[in-house]
Amino acid sequence: MQPKGKGRLYGIGVGPGDPELLTLKALRLLRAAPVVAYQSATDKESIARAIVAQYLPGNQIEVLFHLPRALEPEKAKSIYDQEIQPIADHLAAGRDVVVLCEGDPFFYGSFMYLFTRLCDQYETEVVPGVSSLMACPVALGVPFTYYTDILTVLPAPLPAEELTTHLLMTDAAAIMKLGRHFTKVRDILHKLGLASRARYIERASTSQQRIVPLDEVNPDEVPYFSMIVIPTKNRL
């Protein structure tokens, strides 16, 4: 039961970028909430807000927060605590808050840092979204996994040895958060003989989507929202 006088916290996945990939439930909650919160990088437009901008009714309180990706979450704990305090204040005052999250809230989503801090104090509901893990293979036009294939999801910041170990043990893989780690990953794929199967895509499903052959990617221009998809060899 909702504690008397307290607001409810919603984490909604807004998908990878195409506004039409927002779920009907997320849209209903988004339009009904008195407060909408979203994060962005410093001095940059919020990607999550941009995805749903056309659906905002225009009469809501908006809260911007910033969770610096350059810092490891453990080291940034005090900063994260401070950044989400305005959201906690609205909940304590009895106002429901919808927090926007690119992709899916519980799949490498920024909402998880709010969830761990607030879910014990306020009734919380999470609405799943279409993740880039689903959107990228579709945009690339490659069947990802069949039947008993094993799929492995790897964050590119992992050490080269760890990436290599996991890639040797899987049928298909998605390597996320490439950014400045692209060259390391590409070198590993060539070493393991996986480069010919690997597909590179950035900003999937948005108007800025780019699909580039792996060896033609400029490592200096690889964004955080990029992925290398290695589909299964099987064709069943």
Side-chain angles (χ1 to χ4, degrees), residues 175-205:
I175 307 174
M176 307 175 64
K177 308 180 182 185
L178 289 167
R180 58 189 173 87
H181 305 283
F182 174 81
T183 300
K184 173 186 67 180
V185 173
R186 184 172 60 186
D187 290 346
I188 292 171
L189 296 177
H190 276 290
K191 183 178 178 181
L192 298 179
L194 295 173
S196 61
R197 280 168 51 203
R199 303 286 184 271
Y200 171 88
I201 183 170
E202 58 188 48
R203 301 186 175 92
S205 86

PDB file of all heavy atoms in Angstrom, residues 175-205:
ATOM      1  N   ILE A 175      28.520  -6.213 -27.824  1.00  0.00           N
ATOM      2  CA  ILE A 175      29.522  -5.458 -27.069  1.00  0.00           C
ATOM      3  C   ILE A 175      29.065  -4.009 -27.039  1.00  0.00           C
ATOM      4  O   ILE A 175      28.946  -3.355 -28.077  1.00  0.00           O
ATOM      5  CB  ILE A 175      30.913  -5.594 -27.702  1.00  0.00           C
ATOM      6  CG1 ILE A 175      31.268  -7.067 -27.885  1.00  0.00           C
ATOM      7  CG2 ILE A 175      31.963  -4.899 -26.827  1.00  0.00           C
ATOM      8  CD1 ILE A 175      32.563  -7.312 -28.633  1.00  0.00           C
ATOM      9  N   MET A 176      28.802  -3.521 -25.820  1.00  0.00           N
ATOM     10  CA  MET A 176      28.188  -2.215 -25.629  1.00  0.00           C
ATOM     11  C   MET A 176      29.186  -1.215 -25.047  1.00  0.00           C
ATOM     12  O   MET A 176      30.284  -1.578 -24.665  1.00  0.00           O
ATOM     13  CB  MET A 176      26.992  -2.354 -24.683  1.00  0.00           C
ATOM     14  CG  MET A 176      25.987  -3.410 -25.089  1.00  0.00           C
ATOM     15  SD  MET A 176      24.677  -3.638 -23.870  1.00  0.00           S
ATOM     16  CE  MET A 176      23.878  -2.036 -23.934  1.00  0.00           C
ATOM     17  N   LYS A 177      28.735   0.057 -25.015  1.00  0.00           N
ATOM     18  CA  LYS A 177      29.501   1.135 -24.390  1.00  0.00           C
ATOM     19  C   LYS A 177      30.889   1.243 -25.009  1.00  0.00           C
ATOM     20  O   LYS A 177      31.902   1.317 -24.309  1.00  0.00           O
ATOM     21  CB  LYS A 177      29.616   0.905 -22.869  1.00  0.00           C
ATOM     22  CG  LYS A 177      28.279   0.656 -22.175  1.00  0.00           C
ATOM     23  CD  LYS A 177      28.452   0.439 -20.698  1.00  0.00           C
ATOM     24  CE  LYS A 177      27.127   0.150 -20.027  1.00  0.00           C
ATOM     25  NZ  LYS A 177      27.209   0.034 -18.576  1.00  0.00           N
ATOM     26  N   LEU A 178      30.950   1.249 -26.317  1.00  0.00           N
ATOM     27  CA  LEU A 178      32.248   1.183 -27.000  1.00  0.00           C
ATOM     28  C   LEU A 178      33.097   2.425 -26.759  1.00  0.00           C
ATOM     29  O   LEU A 178      34.215   2.334 -26.251  1.00  0.00           O
ATOM     30  CB  LEU A 178      32.019   0.967 -28.495  1.00  0.00           C
ATOM     31  CG  LEU A 178      31.502  -0.429 -28.867  1.00  0.00           C
ATOM     32  CD1 LEU A 178      31.005  -0.445 -30.297  1.00  0.00           C
ATOM     33  CD2 LEU A 178      32.608  -1.463 -28.678  1.00  0.00           C
ATOM     34  N   GLY A 179      32.608   3.591 -27.182  1.00  0.00           N
ATOM     35  CA  GLY A 179      33.340   4.833 -26.976  1.00  0.00           C
ATOM     36  C   GLY A 179      34.838   4.691 -27.225  1.00  0.00           C
ATOM     37  O   GLY A 179      35.264   4.187 -28.262  1.00  0.00           O
ATOM     38  N   ARG A 180      35.639   5.113 -26.248  1.00  0.00           N
ATOM     39  CA  ARG A 180      37.099   5.112 -26.405  1.00  0.00           C
ATOM     40  C   ARG A 180      37.696   3.704 -26.344  1.00  0.00           C
ATOM     41  O   ARG A 180      38.913   3.545 -26.515  1.00  0.00           O
ATOM     42  CB  ARG A 180      37.726   5.990 -25.335  1.00  0.00           C
ATOM     43  CG  ARG A 180      37.400   5.566 -23.906  1.00  0.00           C
ATOM     44  CD  ARG A 180      37.887   6.614 -22.923  1.00  0.00           C
ATOM     45  NE  ARG A 180      37.459   6.333 -21.570  1.00  0.00           N
ATOM     46  CZ  ARG A 180      38.112   5.566 -20.709  1.00  0.00           C
ATOM     47  NH1 ARG A 180      39.255   5.009 -21.079  1.00  0.00           N
ATOM     48  NH2 ARG A 180      37.658   5.362 -19.489  1.00  0.00           N
ATOM     49  N   HIS A 181      36.874   2.700 -26.124  1.00  0.00           N
ATOM     50  CA  HIS A 181      37.370   1.316 -26.050  1.00  0.00           C
ATOM     51  C   HIS A 181      37.258   0.586 -27.394  1.00  0.00           C
ATOM     52  O   HIS A 181      37.556  -0.600 -27.474  1.00  0.00           O
ATOM     53  CB  HIS A 181      36.583   0.545 -24.985  1.00  0.00           C
ATOM     54  CG  HIS A 181      36.604   1.190 -23.633  1.00  0.00           C
ATOM     55  ND1 HIS A 181      37.692   1.124 -22.799  1.00  0.00           N
ATOM     56  CD2 HIS A 181      35.667   1.960 -23.005  1.00  0.00           C
ATOM     57  CE1 HIS A 181      37.428   1.798 -21.690  1.00  0.00           C
ATOM     58  NE2 HIS A 181      36.205   2.310 -21.783  1.00  0.00           N
ATOM     59  N   PHE A 182      36.825   1.295 -28.437  1.00  0.00           N
ATOM     60  CA  PHE A 182      36.560   0.637 -29.717  1.00  0.00           C
ATOM     61  C   PHE A 182      37.791  -0.076 -30.283  1.00  0.00           C
ATOM     62  O   PHE A 182      37.713  -1.227 -30.728  1.00  0.00           O
ATOM     63  CB  PHE A 182      36.042   1.658 -30.740  1.00  0.00           C
ATOM     64  CG  PHE A 182      35.901   1.072 -32.109  1.00  0.00           C
ATOM     65  CD1 PHE A 182      34.794   0.319 -32.455  1.00  0.00           C
ATOM     66  CD2 PHE A 182      36.911   1.242 -33.061  1.00  0.00           C
ATOM     67  CE1 PHE A 182      34.673  -0.245 -33.716  1.00  0.00           C
ATOM     68  CE2 PHE A 182      36.796   0.679 -34.324  1.00  0.00           C
ATOM     69  CZ  PHE A 182      35.680  -0.062 -34.650  1.00  0.00           C
ATOM     70  N   THR A 183      38.920   0.589 -30.311  1.00  0.00           N
ATOM     71  CA  THR A 183      40.126   0.005 -30.922  1.00  0.00           C
ATOM     72  C   THR A 183      40.516  -1.299 -30.228  1.00  0.00           C
ATOM     73  O   THR A 183      40.869  -2.287 -30.888  1.00  0.00           O
ATOM     74  CB  THR A 183      41.289   1.009 -30.864  1.00  0.00           C
ATOM     75  OG1 THR A 183      40.916   2.192 -31.576  1.00  0.00           O
ATOM     76  CG2 THR A 183      42.543   0.426 -31.503  1.00  0.00           C
ATOM     77  N   LYS A 184      40.461  -1.300 -28.911  1.00  0.00           N
ATOM     78  CA  LYS A 184      40.768  -2.524 -28.160  1.00  0.00           C
ATOM     79  C   LYS A 184      39.845  -3.662 -28.588  1.00  0.00           C
ATOM     80  O   LYS A 184      40.312  -4.786 -28.851  1.00  0.00           O
ATOM     81  CB  LYS A 184      40.603  -2.249 -26.659  1.00  0.00           C
ATOM     82  CG  LYS A 184      40.720  -3.493 -25.789  1.00  0.00           C
ATOM     83  CD  LYS A 184      40.388  -3.172 -24.326  1.00  0.00           C
ATOM     84  CE  LYS A 184      38.931  -2.814 -24.151  1.00  0.00           C
ATOM     85  NZ  LYS A 184      38.575  -2.509 -22.752  1.00  0.00           N
ATOM     86  N   VAL A 185      38.570  -3.381 -28.696  1.00  0.00           N
ATOM     87  CA  VAL A 185      37.600  -4.422 -29.059  1.00  0.00           C
ATOM     88  C   VAL A 185      37.841  -4.895 -30.487  1.00  0.00           C
ATOM     89  O   VAL A 185      37.829  -6.101 -30.763  1.00  0.00           O
ATOM     90  CB  VAL A 185      36.159  -3.882 -28.892  1.00  0.00           C
ATOM     91  CG1 VAL A 185      35.154  -4.895 -29.433  1.00  0.00           C
ATOM     92  CG2 VAL A 185      35.874  -3.568 -27.432  1.00  0.00           C
ATOM     93  N   ARG A 186      38.055  -3.976 -31.399  1.00  0.00           N
ATOM     94  CA  ARG A 186      38.279  -4.366 -32.801  1.00  0.00           C
ATOM     95  C   ARG A 186      39.516  -5.257 -32.929  1.00  0.00           C
ATOM     96  O   ARG A 186      39.498  -6.251 -33.671  1.00  0.00           O
ATOM     97  CB  ARG A 186      38.432  -3.126 -33.678  1.00  0.00           C
ATOM     98  CG  ARG A 186      38.565  -3.465 -35.169  1.00  0.00           C
ATOM     99  CD  ARG A 186      38.520  -2.220 -36.027  1.00  0.00           C
ATOM    100  NE  ARG A 186      39.599  -1.297 -35.694  1.00  0.00           N
ATOM    101  CZ  ARG A 186      39.719  -0.079 -36.220  1.00  0.00           C
ATOM    102  NH1 ARG A 186      38.826   0.361 -37.091  1.00  0.00           N
ATOM    103  NH2 ARG A 186      40.718   0.710 -35.883  1.00  0.00           N
ATOM    104  N   ASP A 187      40.561  -4.910 -32.205  1.00  0.00           N
ATOM    105  CA  ASP A 187      41.785  -5.734 -32.250  1.00  0.00           C
ATOM    106  C   ASP A 187      41.510  -7.160 -31.745  1.00  0.00           C
ATOM    107  O   ASP A 187      42.024  -8.140 -32.299  1.00  0.00           O
ATOM    108  CB  ASP A 187      42.891  -5.081 -31.421  1.00  0.00           C
ATOM    109  CG  ASP A 187      43.413  -3.805 -32.062  1.00  0.00           C
ATOM    110  OD1 ASP A 187      43.111  -3.575 -33.250  1.00  0.00           O
ATOM    111  OD2 ASP A 187      44.115  -3.045 -31.369  1.00  0.00           O
ATOM    112  N   ILE A 188      40.725  -7.266 -30.699  1.00  0.00           N
ATOM    113  CA  ILE A 188      40.382  -8.587 -30.155  1.00  0.00           C
ATOM    114  C   ILE A 188      39.591  -9.398 -31.180  1.00  0.00           C
ATOM    115  O   ILE A 188      39.843 -10.586 -31.385  1.00  0.00           O
ATOM    116  CB  ILE A 188      39.572  -8.428 -28.847  1.00  0.00           C
ATOM    117  CG1 ILE A 188      40.450  -7.842 -27.752  1.00  0.00           C
ATOM    118  CG2 ILE A 188      38.998  -9.777 -28.402  1.00  0.00           C
ATOM    119  CD1 ILE A 188      39.680  -7.458 -26.499  1.00  0.00           C
ATOM    120  N   LEU A 189      38.643  -8.751 -31.844  1.00  0.00           N
ATOM    121  CA  LEU A 189      37.809  -9.467 -32.823  1.00  0.00           C
ATOM    122  C   LEU A 189      38.645  -9.973 -33.990  1.00  0.00           C
ATOM    123  O   LEU A 189      38.428 -11.086 -34.485  1.00  0.00           O
ATOM    124  CB  LEU A 189      36.688  -8.543 -33.313  1.00  0.00           C
ATOM    125  CG  LEU A 189      35.674  -8.104 -32.238  1.00  0.00           C
ATOM    126  CD1 LEU A 189      34.659  -7.145 -32.830  1.00  0.00           C
ATOM    127  CD2 LEU A 189      34.983  -9.305 -31.621  1.00  0.00           C
ATOM    128  N   HIS A 190      39.600  -9.175 -34.422  1.00  0.00           N
ATOM    129  CA  HIS A 190      40.498  -9.644 -35.498  1.00  0.00           C
ATOM    130  C   HIS A 190      41.338 -10.820 -34.998  1.00  0.00           C
ATOM    131  O   HIS A 190      41.524 -11.818 -35.714  1.00  0.00           O
ATOM    132  CB  HIS A 190      41.392  -8.499 -35.962  1.00  0.00           C
ATOM    133  CG  HIS A 190      40.743  -7.617 -36.988  1.00  0.00           C
ATOM    134  ND1 HIS A 190      40.496  -8.028 -38.272  1.00  0.00           N
ATOM    135  CD2 HIS A 190      40.269  -6.346 -36.896  1.00  0.00           C
ATOM    136  CE1 HIS A 190      39.905  -7.052 -38.950  1.00  0.00           C
ATOM    137  NE2 HIS A 190      39.751  -6.013 -38.135  1.00  0.00           N
ATOM    138  N   LYS A 191      41.845 -10.723 -33.799  1.00  0.00           N
ATOM    139  CA  LYS A 191      42.694 -11.777 -33.242  1.00  0.00           C
ATOM    140  C   LYS A 191      41.935 -13.098 -33.129  1.00  0.00           C
ATOM    141  O   LYS A 191      42.509 -14.183 -33.343  1.00  0.00           O
ATOM    142  CB  LYS A 191      43.206 -11.345 -31.864  1.00  0.00           C
ATOM    143  CG  LYS A 191      44.161 -12.331 -31.222  1.00  0.00           C
ATOM    144  CD  LYS A 191      44.644 -11.794 -29.872  1.00  0.00           C
ATOM    145  CE  LYS A 191      45.567 -12.798 -29.202  1.00  0.00           C
ATOM    146  NZ  LYS A 191      46.027 -12.286 -27.868  1.00  0.00           N
ATOM    147  N   LEU A 192      40.647 -13.025 -32.786  1.00  0.00           N
ATOM    148  CA  LEU A 192      39.837 -14.236 -32.586  1.00  0.00           C
ATOM    149  C   LEU A 192      39.152 -14.708 -33.869  1.00  0.00           C
ATOM    150  O   LEU A 192      38.429 -15.703 -33.850  1.00  0.00           O
ATOM    151  CB  LEU A 192      38.767 -13.972 -31.515  1.00  0.00           C
ATOM    152  CG  LEU A 192      39.272 -13.631 -30.112  1.00  0.00           C
ATOM    153  CD1 LEU A 192      38.098 -13.383 -29.175  1.00  0.00           C
ATOM    154  CD2 LEU A 192      40.167 -14.739 -29.581  1.00  0.00           C
ATOM    155  N   GLY A 193      39.357 -13.995 -34.968  1.00  0.00           N
ATOM    156  CA  GLY A 193      38.716 -14.377 -36.223  1.00  0.00           C
ATOM    157  C   GLY A 193      37.227 -14.068 -36.258  1.00  0.00           C
ATOM    158  O   GLY A 193      36.482 -14.688 -37.024  1.00  0.00           O
ATOM    159  N   LEU A 194      36.781 -13.109 -35.457  1.00  0.00           N
ATOM    160  CA  LEU A 194      35.358 -12.762 -35.385  1.00  0.00           C
ATOM    161  C   LEU A 194      35.013 -11.492 -36.154  1.00  0.00           C
ATOM    162  O   LEU A 194      33.836 -11.137 -36.271  1.00  0.00           O
ATOM    163  CB  LEU A 194      34.943 -12.582 -33.915  1.00  0.00           C
ATOM    164  CG  LEU A 194      35.012 -13.828 -33.042  1.00  0.00           C
ATOM    165  CD1 LEU A 194      34.752 -13.470 -31.576  1.00  0.00           C
ATOM    166  CD2 LEU A 194      33.985 -14.858 -33.516  1.00  0.00           C
ATOM    167  N   ALA A 195      36.007 -10.818 -36.677  1.00  0.00           N
ATOM    168  CA  ALA A 195      35.759  -9.520 -37.306  1.00  0.00           C
ATOM    169  C   ALA A 195      34.828  -9.620 -38.507  1.00  0.00           C
ATOM    170  O   ALA A 195      34.026  -8.719 -38.756  1.00  0.00           O
ATOM    171  CB  ALA A 195      37.087  -8.879 -37.710  1.00  0.00           C
ATOM    172  N   SER A 196      34.896 -10.704 -39.247  1.00  0.00           N
ATOM    173  CA  SER A 196      34.057 -10.814 -40.447  1.00  0.00           C
ATOM    174  C   SER A 196      32.580 -10.963 -40.095  1.00  0.00           C
ATOM    175  O   SER A 196      31.714 -10.636 -40.914  1.00  0.00           O
ATOM    176  CB  SER A 196      34.519 -12.011 -41.291  1.00  0.00           C
ATOM    177  OG  SER A 196      34.386 -13.221 -40.553  1.00  0.00           O
ATOM    178  N   ARG A 197      32.270 -11.438 -38.910  1.00  0.00           N
ATOM    179  CA  ARG A 197      30.876 -11.571 -38.464  1.00  0.00           C
ATOM    180  C   ARG A 197      30.396 -10.344 -37.703  1.00  0.00           C
ATOM    181  O   ARG A 197      29.186 -10.171 -37.482  1.00  0.00           O
ATOM    182  CB  ARG A 197      30.719 -12.802 -37.552  1.00  0.00           C
ATOM    183  CG  ARG A 197      30.621 -14.114 -38.301  1.00  0.00           C
ATOM    184  CD  ARG A 197      30.765 -15.298 -37.349  1.00  0.00           C
ATOM    185  NE  ARG A 197      29.883 -15.231 -36.210  1.00  0.00           N
ATOM    186  CZ  ARG A 197      30.108 -15.861 -35.051  1.00  0.00           C
ATOM    187  NH1 ARG A 197      31.199 -16.611 -34.922  1.00  0.00           N
ATOM    188  NH2 ARG A 197      29.274 -15.759 -34.057  1.00  0.00           N
ATOM    189  N   ALA A 198      31.294  -9.523 -37.254  1.00  0.00           N
ATOM    190  CA  ALA A 198      30.923  -8.399 -36.391  1.00  0.00           C
ATOM    191  C   ALA A 198      30.298  -7.265 -37.201  1.00  0.00           C
ATOM    192  O   ALA A 198      30.755  -6.943 -38.303  1.00  0.00           O
ATOM    193  CB  ALA A 198      32.161  -7.891 -35.644  1.00  0.00           C
ATOM    194  N   ARG A 199      29.256  -6.666 -36.634  1.00  0.00           N
ATOM    195  CA  ARG A 199      28.571  -5.536 -37.263  1.00  0.00           C
ATOM    196  C   ARG A 199      28.574  -4.351 -36.286  1.00  0.00           C
ATOM    197  O   ARG A 199      28.223  -4.517 -35.121  1.00  0.00           O
ATOM    198  CB  ARG A 199      27.134  -5.911 -37.604  1.00  0.00           C
ATOM    199  CG  ARG A 199      26.999  -7.138 -38.512  1.00  0.00           C
ATOM    200  CD  ARG A 199      27.395  -6.803 -39.945  1.00  0.00           C
ATOM    201  NE  ARG A 199      27.191  -7.928 -40.829  1.00  0.00           N
ATOM    202  CZ  ARG A 199      28.113  -8.884 -41.076  1.00  0.00           C
ATOM    203  NH1 ARG A 199      29.303  -8.816 -40.487  1.00  0.00           N
ATOM    204  NH2 ARG A 199      27.848  -9.871 -41.897  1.00  0.00           N
ATOM    205  N   TYR A 200      28.928  -3.193 -36.814  1.00  0.00           N
ATOM    206  CA  TYR A 200      28.982  -1.984 -35.969  1.00  0.00           C
ATOM    207  C   TYR A 200      27.783  -1.093 -36.272  1.00  0.00           C
ATOM    208  O   TYR A 200      27.438  -0.855 -37.435  1.00  0.00           O
ATOM    209  CB  TYR A 200      30.269  -1.202 -36.250  1.00  0.00           C
ATOM    210  CG  TYR A 200      30.306   0.151 -35.584  1.00  0.00           C
ATOM    211  CD1 TYR A 200      30.805   0.288 -34.288  1.00  0.00           C
ATOM    212  CD2 TYR A 200      29.843   1.285 -36.242  1.00  0.00           C
ATOM    213  CE1 TYR A 200      30.833   1.540 -33.675  1.00  0.00           C
ATOM    214  CE2 TYR A 200      29.866   2.535 -35.635  1.00  0.00           C
ATOM    215  CZ  TYR A 200      30.361   2.656 -34.354  1.00  0.00           C
ATOM    216  OH  TYR A 200      30.395   3.890 -33.748  1.00  0.00           O
ATOM    217  N   ILE A 201      27.181  -0.560 -35.193  1.00  0.00           N
ATOM    218  CA  ILE A 201      26.061   0.377 -35.339  1.00  0.00           C
ATOM    219  C   ILE A 201      26.114   1.386 -34.198  1.00  0.00           C
ATOM    220  O   ILE A 201      26.531   1.057 -33.082  1.00  0.00           O
ATOM    221  CB  ILE A 201      24.698  -0.369 -35.342  1.00  0.00           C
ATOM    222  CG1 ILE A 201      23.543   0.611 -35.576  1.00  0.00           C
ATOM    223  CG2 ILE A 201      24.504  -1.175 -34.067  1.00  0.00           C
ATOM    224  CD1 ILE A 201      22.213  -0.091 -35.829  1.00  0.00           C
ATOM    225  N   GLU A 202      25.722   2.621 -34.484  1.00  0.00           N
ATOM    226  CA  GLU A 202      25.638   3.627 -33.420  1.00  0.00           C
ATOM    227  C   GLU A 202      24.291   4.338 -33.501  1.00  0.00           C
ATOM    228  O   GLU A 202      23.707   4.494 -34.565  1.00  0.00           O
ATOM    229  CB  GLU A 202      26.791   4.638 -33.529  1.00  0.00           C
ATOM    230  CG  GLU A 202      26.852   5.379 -34.841  1.00  0.00           C
ATOM    231  CD  GLU A 202      28.111   6.222 -34.991  1.00  0.00           C
ATOM    232  OE1 GLU A 202      29.211   5.693 -34.716  1.00  0.00           O
ATOM    233  OE2 GLU A 202      27.991   7.402 -35.374  1.00  0.00           O
ATOM    234  N   ARG A 203      23.810   4.732 -32.323  1.00  0.00           N
ATOM    235  CA  ARG A 203      22.547   5.478 -32.178  1.00  0.00           C
ATOM    236  C   ARG A 203      21.403   4.788 -32.932  1.00  0.00           C
ATOM    237  O   ARG A 203      20.686   5.410 -33.722  1.00  0.00           O
ATOM    238  CB  ARG A 203      22.723   6.920 -32.633  1.00  0.00           C
ATOM    239  CG  ARG A 203      23.792   7.678 -31.846  1.00  0.00           C
ATOM    240  CD  ARG A 203      23.832   9.144 -32.222  1.00  0.00           C
ATOM    241  NE  ARG A 203      24.761   9.914 -31.405  1.00  0.00           N
ATOM    242  CZ  ARG A 203      26.043  10.132 -31.724  1.00  0.00           C
ATOM    243  NH1 ARG A 203      26.533   9.647 -32.845  1.00  0.00           N
ATOM    244  NH2 ARG A 203      26.828  10.833 -30.927  1.00  0.00           N
ATOM    245  N   ALA A 204      21.252   3.504 -32.681  1.00  0.00           N
ATOM    246  CA  ALA A 204      20.244   2.713 -33.389  1.00  0.00           C
ATOM    247  C   ALA A 204      18.845   3.278 -33.214  1.00  0.00           C
ATOM    248  O   ALA A 204      18.459   3.715 -32.120  1.00  0.00           O
ATOM    249  CB  ALA A 204      20.280   1.270 -32.878  1.00  0.00           C
ATOM    250  N   SER A 205      18.098   3.276 -34.270  1.00  0.00           N
ATOM    251  CA  SER A 205      16.690   3.666 -34.366  1.00  0.00           C
ATOM    252  C   SER A 205      16.459   5.178 -34.292  1.00  0.00           C
ATOM    253  O   SER A 205      15.318   5.624 -34.328  1.00  0.00           O
ATOM    254  CB  SER A 205      15.830   2.961 -33.302  1.00  0.00           C
ATOM    255  OG  SER A 205      15.822   3.653 -32.076  1.00  0.00           O
TER     256      SER A 205
END
